[in-house]
Amino acid sequence: MTDQNAAILVVDDVAENRDLLLRRLKRLGFSHIDEAANGIEALAAIDQKPYDLVLLDIMMPELDGFGVLDRLRADGRINDLPVIVVSALNEIEPVVRCIELGADDFIFKPFNPTLLRARVLATLEKKALRDRTRDELKRKQAELIEARTLQLALVPPPFAGVFAGRRVAIDVLLEPAKEVGGDLVDYFPVGESRLVAIIGDVSDKGAGAALMMARTHSMFRSLGTRPDAAELFADPARAAGLVNDALARGNASCMFVTLLLAVVDVPAGTLTYVRAGHVPPYLRARDGTVSRLTAAGGPALGVMEEFPFSAATVPLGAGERLMVVTDGLTEAHDHAGDLYGEERVGAFLAALGEEAAPLPRLAAAVRAFEAGLPAFDDMAALLLTLDAPAAE
């Protein structure tokens, strides 16, 4: 139903024409009606008040109707302010020009009252629908921005300090491709000697993937608070199995999470990991050579209940660096369709110096490679250095 409280501006240099339009509009039940005698007055009125509709003449002194439309289009207001041109110009060229400048409709003088009624009511109804749609989009956008803020708040800050008697540095990165995403990255201590690092990638994107990510994240964090957390994460395959069973049970959406669960025994200098369908992590030795940890621990989480995951253990020596990424980095592509690739990520790690928190530089390199293309996917990465140099 059309809002009878709609604010309408009638613009015409002839007082009799304005009076006729005012009387017709009042018969339709509209009472909030203003007048302007030329384009300058019309623009001044529009600057002062939010109108729902403008009835605009073309041939006027000082500034004609074409000029009004051109100024409204130039500052973007024509997108939110419906304009019906009411003119004695009865050739096709003025009609076309008005429509190209953004007018919603065109009525020839002398106008038919029934046609005027139909055009005014229809135009106001369309504006009301656009306004409701815009307000709903704003509301949803605000919710998505809040969700993004909450999601990023789940990511722990970089760490550089002493843990279990050795210096440890951990850098983390999470960049959702859109407002929210399905990547996760986290680390936390269990017991007095172990650090748990998790990085994962949900199979889908958007809000559903973000909820799946949050659920997965909360499960691992909950396991880390159990009284037997140190014993549980001493065998990360068991921890991965518990989360997998919970995600796979009743998984009607068929979403899954590729994940790398790594547990570092800091005093012993060992890394035990489960690679559940995830990109193989990188390990850089002190001499700068980079290798990949390719042992497969099982399928992505959420695919199959009671799968017997397995873990692999490798030494993690002083000064060695573990880096794990999601495929949002490796599969990012440029305008030619070439992938950023796993080799470039490995080369970044090989050339890495002792700078603090270097992962944002890796993300910037990926975005530069994309050269302005929309982000291909969420990006997440984790870099852990054992016996890192003391911060100056």
Side-chain angles (χ1 to χ4, degrees), residues 101-130:
L101 289 171
D104 286 71
D105 212 334
F106 196 107
I107 300 176
F108 295 107
K109 293 178 181 178
F111 58 84
N112 180 289
T114 303
L115 179 62
L116 175 70
R117 175 184 182 278
R119 298 286 175 82
V120 167
L121 296 182
T123 302
L124 287 172
E125 187 67 29
K126 285 189 290 186
K127 181 185 186 299
L129 178 60
R130 288 199 302 267

Side-chain angles (χ1 to χ4, degrees), residues 234-302:
D235 180 12
R238 182 182 164 207
L242 291 173
V243 174
N244 171 70
D245 290 347
L247 293 176
R249 194 172 300 118
N251 185 12
S253 67
C254 297
M255 281 190 188
F256 57 85
V257 184
T258 66
L259 186 120
L260 190 286
L261 171 60
V263 179
V264 180
D265 187 323
V266 174
T270 58
L271 166 68
T272 304
Y273 69 95
V274 175
R275 187 167 70 88
H278 200 73
V279 178
Y282 300 79
L283 185 63
R284 196 189 90 158
R286 294 192 65 177
D287 62 5
T289 58
V290 175
S291 59
R292 305 295 295 277
L293 303 181
T294 57
L301 305 186

Side-chain angles (χ1 to χ4, degrees), residues 323-363:
M323 187 167 77
V324 197
V325 302
T326 58
D327 60 12
L329 288 90
T330 59
E331 295 183 4
H333 58 270
D334 61 12
H335 287 270
D338 295 328
L339 299 182
Y340 190 78
E342 297 184 10
E343 290 186 5
R344 285 188 174 92
V345 175
F348 173 87
L349 179 60
L352 200 57
E354 302 301 338
E355 64 183 284
L359 290 181
R361 185 162 61 85
L362 174 60

Side-chain angles (χ1 to χ4, degrees), residues 18-180:
R18 296 198 304 273
D19 182 65
L20 179 60
L21 283 170
L22 259 66
R23 285 188 283 111
R24 291 295 179 185
L25 291 171
K26 288 179 179 178
R27 288 180 184 178
L28 295 176
F30 298 107
S31 57
H32 301 281
I33 308 170
D34 295 331
E35 303 177 50
N38 57 59
I40 299 297
E41 290 184 11
L43 291 175
I46 292 170
D47 285 338
Q48 296 297 320
K49 184 175 180 178
Y51 288 99
D52 297 295
L53 175 64
V54 176
L55 298 179
L56 179 67
D57 186 27
I58 291 296
M59 303 306 295
M60 296 182 295
E62 297 190 53
L63 182 67
D64 63 15
F66 295 127
V68 173
L69 288 170
D70 190 52
R71 300 237 189 131
L72 292 176
R73 186 179 69 163
D75 61 22
R77 285 184 290 181
I78 197 68
N79 299 321
D80 299 316
L81 177 59
V83 177
I84 297 177
V85 175
V86 185
S87 175
L89 295 175
N90 56 7
E91 298 178 353
I92 190 63
E93 289 80 6
V95 177
V96 172
R97 186 178 176 189
C98 288
I99 297 302
E100 289 177 342
L101 289 171
D104 286 71
D105 212 334
F106 196 107
I107 300 176
F108 295 107
K109 293 178 181 178
F111 58 84
N112 180 289
T114 303
L115 179 62
L116 175 70
R117 175 184 182 278
R119 298 286 175 82
V120 167
L121 296 182
T123 302
L124 287 172
E125 187 67 29
K126 285 189 290 186
K127 181 185 186 299
L129 178 60
R130 288 199 302 267
D131 289 347
R132 290 195 297 270
T133 302
R134 183 182 62 249
D135 291 344
E136 181 66 13
L137 287 174
K138 285 183 178 179
R139 184 187 65 79
K140 290 183 177 179
Q141 185 67 26
E143 289 181 355
L144 286 172
I145 291 173
E146 183 179 5
R148 180 187 180 92
T149 301
L150 293 173
Q151 183 176 23
L152 294 177
L154 295 175
V155 181
F159 172 80
V162 177
F163 180 79
R166 301 178 71 171
R167 289 201 61 82
V168 177
I170 305 176
D171 189 19
V172 290
L173 168 77
L174 179 63
E175 283 194 12
K178 300 187 183 299
E179 287 84 356
V180 292

